[in-house]
Amino acid sequence: MTESKFPTIDIENTGSLTRVFLNGEEVEGVVSVAFSHSVREHKSFPTVKVELLAEKVHIGTHQVFDLPDIYHPFYVSSDKLVEAGILTMDQLNELVDKGML
């Protein structure tokens, strides 16, 4: 038998409380869970979508995602920081290299 590259997901429900476990570890902050299984999609593997609450979110990528308008007051482009003299391009690149931006 070959070992699966996919995680094991356990969903336990007791009344109004639903708990989700990923490879035996409980996932904290679960708001909702959706399960689907379609023979036509994903080569007949089931899929689980989990909505989580999070105080902080870090996206480890150099791609820039289009954020909803509600978040715009809280972000400034790195180009504007360099143009305003707050950061130099070298400082900006150093922060990116260290994974801080």
Side-chain angles (χ1 to χ4, degrees):
M1 181 177 207
T2 62
E3 190 170 318
S4 174
K5 63 180 178 178
F6 299 113
T8 299
I9 300 170
D10 295 303
I11 302 171
E12 295 179 3
N13 178 266
T14 53
S16 63
L17 177 65
T18 299
R19 297 169 60 195
V20 176
F21 296 85
L22 181 66
N23 293 330
E25 297 288 326
E26 185 169 6
V27 178
E28 299 293 329
V30 174
V31 175
S32 68
V33 179
F35 171 83
S36 66
H37 190 194
S38 171
V39 177
R40 297 173 198 261
E41 296 177 16
H42 309 293
K43 298 182 182 177
S44 78
F45 288 103
T47 60
V48 177
K49 294 181 183 180
V50 179
E51 184 178 346
L52 303 171
L53 287 175
E55 184 176 334
K56 296 180 181 179
V57 176
H58 171 76
I59 302 171
T61 181
H62 293 289
Q63 297 176 343
V64 178
F65 298 96
D66 189 21
L67 296 170
D69 288 339
I70 192 169
Y71 294 111
H72 285 212
F74 303 102
Y75 292 87
V76 62
S77 77
S78 54
D79 290 338
K80 287 184 180 180
L81 294 174
V82 172
E83 288 172 12
I86 296 169
L87 286 176
T88 66
M89 189 55 80
D90 289 338
Q91 290 171 322
L92 178 64
N93 289 333
E94 183 179 336
L95 291 170
V96 170
D97 290 341
K98 289 181 178 179
M100 299 174 74
L101 284 180

